[in-house]
Amino acid sequence: MRSALSGALIYAIVGGLWILFSDQALSLLVADTKAYQELQTYKGWFYVVVTSLLLFMLLSRAVKKTQTLLQIDPLTYLPRHFQFSLALDKILKSLPHGSSLIMMDIDINNFSKINESKGHEFADKVLLTLANKLKNEFRDGALIGRLGADNFGIAVSHHEHSDSFDVYASRVFNALKRVSDKLDYPVQASIGIAIAPGDGKRSRELITRATAALQNLKGKGEGLFGYFSRELSTQLQRRQLIVHALRQPDCFSRFSLVYQPQYNALSKQVCGVEVLCRWHHPELGPVSPAEFIPVAEEIGVSGRISDWVIRQAYKELSDSDCLAVLPRVSVNISATEFNDELQLQALTRLFTHYSHFARYCQLEITETAALENPRANSQLLMALKALGLRFSIDDFGTGYTSLAMLQNLPIDEIKIDRAFVNSVEADTSTRRIVMSIIDIAANFGVNSVAEGVETDSQLKVLQETQCAEVQGYLLCHPLTIEQLKVRLKAERTQNAEVLSVNAPR
Ligand code: C2E
Ligand code: MG
Ligand code: MG
């Protein structure tokens, strides 16, 4: 800004002096009026040409500077994504026949945590040190770029005959180790690798595939590397179709609900239902919630799904009069929603609006993500509890923080995962786990439900181990609302008959 101001000032002074003195100088030089007028015209043209040249120089310098800023990362001086892709395309075009090019997408693990816990300055230091160590490690003509906030890309040609590309990942890990040593702080990264020409002959394709290989490592641990494969490509395409459809504003027109009854393990009376959503994708057909819910969590739309599920379940259950005869309705909510204050607030607003329904509802927390800080959100959880809502831990023992959840949340129920129920009769150690979970539930004074009960012998073991409730195909498959209505009516009639048979005469 300052240089622009001083430039304008210099221009104004020079221009002013030129206007003031050029005419006087001309009149001193030529006496003849005609010649004077002719020279005046040339003088005008001269002025226009000089100022145009000046303007051109200044503008082109500014444009060049902006372009450099857009193309080169000012922190690491590495090319950014666009520039990296252009350079990669050039290398790919001139790749000798029989050679390969290794494209690595490197993602620093937990970079946001480094930012939060150590501050931006330290995080910048990590990026800069890593950039320098990578430059050092790949001195032999590799293309290095900063592809995103915590992402680096490296493209390196491979001319040798051996097929082992692992060595390149090792070199990245060497660089990371040096960064950790220098900063005295552990820095780890995951690496997705795609190899040209097999995985793609253009930069866009190759980078996307290296990123897909990287995404495939998510949730598997830190400091890992993995290659792109055809199988991954199919998965990636499927995931993209799911993401695209979930982002459509009218995606719920293809959603529906089913209800699976839960029974008292001994009396086999219905104690409640679990609401499960179903989705018919426009191209893929039916997609299981086990597949699309984690994607919805990742792209941040699981809250919208919960909102729709709760409203729709209330509508269907009350319109069909099922609500009047059901003691409890369980709805699945992802742990990611419990970690997010805004989503918890939205849930509280929704249940305040449906306060009548809230008294029936139990939220099954699916542990697809670790429950980060329930204490921080304890006020909101208490507000939900005050509305009459109950909390259940789904798939207990298979997720992240089951026991910590019992400590930090006002839990009312534990659900024993299908995987345990599956082998409860055949495997004694599984039976011990199931017994321990039921003991934990009893010690905390909460309800226990075994899910995925498929055989009589599983039910028998669960009855013996004093599991309170059961749910599974043996007793009932998930039902549409019409089927549920019929089923509940039949169960009531059956129970009434049993009661009248057993009644004292
Ligand atoms: P979950 O909450 O543990 O639900 C139980 C799953 O087991 C359901 O699968 C159900 O259909 C299935 N199931 C029930 N009994 C049996 C049985 O005897 N044998 C077998 N093999 N399976 C049984 P579904 O409906 O495919 O749901 C899968 C998971 O997707 C659910 O697991 C839950 O975590 C999630 N999910 C479903 N609906 C929703 C939803 O509305 N919101 C959220 N956030 N997650 C949902
Ligand atoms: Mg559930
Ligand atoms: Mg479950």
Side-chain angles (χ1 to χ4, degrees), residues 212 215 230-246 279-292 295:
Q215 273 172 357
R230 291 287 132 203
E231 198 184 299
L232 252 179
S233 167
T234 320
Q235 271 176 32
L236 184 73
Q237 274 168 15
R238 190 175 164 89
R239 193 182 181 281
Q240 273 167 349
L241 286 174
I242 291 176
V243 169
H244 179 74
L246 281 178
W279 184 36
H280 196 97
H281 187 282
E283 285 155 70
L284 302 172
V287 181
S288 156
E291 182 178 2
F292 73 77
V295 180

Side-chain angles (χ1 to χ4, degrees), residues 260 274-278 288-290 293 305-306 309 332-334 337 364 366 394-395 418 451-454 471-474 478:
Q260 189 175 33
E274 176 175 5
V275 184
L276 296 161
C277 65
R278 297 287 174 261
S288 156
I293 293 286
I305 295 180
S306 296
V309 168
N332 291 286
I333 305 279
S334 334
E337 287 171 64
E364 281 190 15
T366 48
D394 207 349
D395 311 334
R418 194 167 72 221
E451 57 183 356
V453 183
E454 290 181 349
Q471 170 185 356
Y473 294 169
L474 174 70

Side-chain angles (χ1 to χ4, degrees), residues 323-324 326-330 355-362 388 390:
L323 202 55
L326 275 175
R328 196 182 63 218
V329 177
S330 295
S355 57
H356 170 63
F357 190 38
R359 287 198 289 276
Y360 290 88
C361 279
Q362 177 160 277
R390 293 154 51 90

Side-chain angles (χ1 to χ4, degrees), residues 119-293:
H120 290 287
E121 217 171 288
F122 183 80
D124 277 357
K125 216 178 202 177
V126 170
L127 291 169
L128 187 58
T129 320
L130 179 57
N132 290 335
K133 298 292 174 204
L134 286 174
K135 281 179 203 165
N136 245 332
E137 193 66 48
F138 291 90
R139 260 164 305 178
D140 41 358
L143 173 68
I144 309 179
R146 185 169 172 203
L147 305 187
D150 55 354
N151 268 85
F152 289 90
I154 299 183
V156 49
S157 308
H158 177 90
H159 304 292
E160 289 149 35
H161 291 295
S162 81
D163 273 333
S164 174
F165 303 114
D166 294 5
V167 61
Y168 299 103
S170 306
R171 283 162 74 177
V172 175
F173 291 128
N174 282 344
L176 282 157
K177 186 168 178 319
R178 289 207 193 100
V179 176
S180 305
D181 291 346
K182 185 167 182 202
L183 301 180
D184 199 19
Y185 184 89
V187 181
Q188 199 46 281
S190 302
I191 311 166
I193 305 171
I195 297 158
D199 293 339
K201 291 179 182 153
R202 322 221 36 198
S203 68
R204 216 178 125 176
E205 212 177 359
L206 207 58
I207 297 174
T208 312
R209 293 184 164 181
T211 309
L214 178 68
Q215 273 172 357
N216 189 45
L217 299 174
K218 268 206 177 134
K220 291 186 180 162
E222 294 181 4
L224 300 174
F225 69 97
Y227 293 91
F228 178 79
S229 64
R230 291 287 132 203
E231 198 184 299
L232 252 179
S233 167
T234 320
Q235 271 176 32
L236 184 73
Q237 274 168 15
R238 190 175 164 89
R239 193 182 181 281
Q240 273 167 349
L241 286 174
I242 291 176
V243 169
H244 179 74
L246 281 178
R247 286 206 168 119
Q248 300 308 307
D250 65 341
C251 76
F252 293 117
S253 60
R254 291 176 168 272
F255 268 69
S256 62
L257 293 179
V258 286
Y259 304 83
Q260 189 175 33
Q262 297 166 325
Y263 295 86
N264 179 295
L266 292 173
S267 71
K268 294 197 195 154
Q269 280 189 347
V270 176
C271 329
V273 286
E274 176 175 5
V275 184
L276 296 161
C277 65
R278 297 287 174 261
W279 184 36
H280 196 97
H281 187 282
E283 285 155 70
L284 302 172
V287 181
S288 156
E291 182 178 2
F292 73 77
I293 293 286

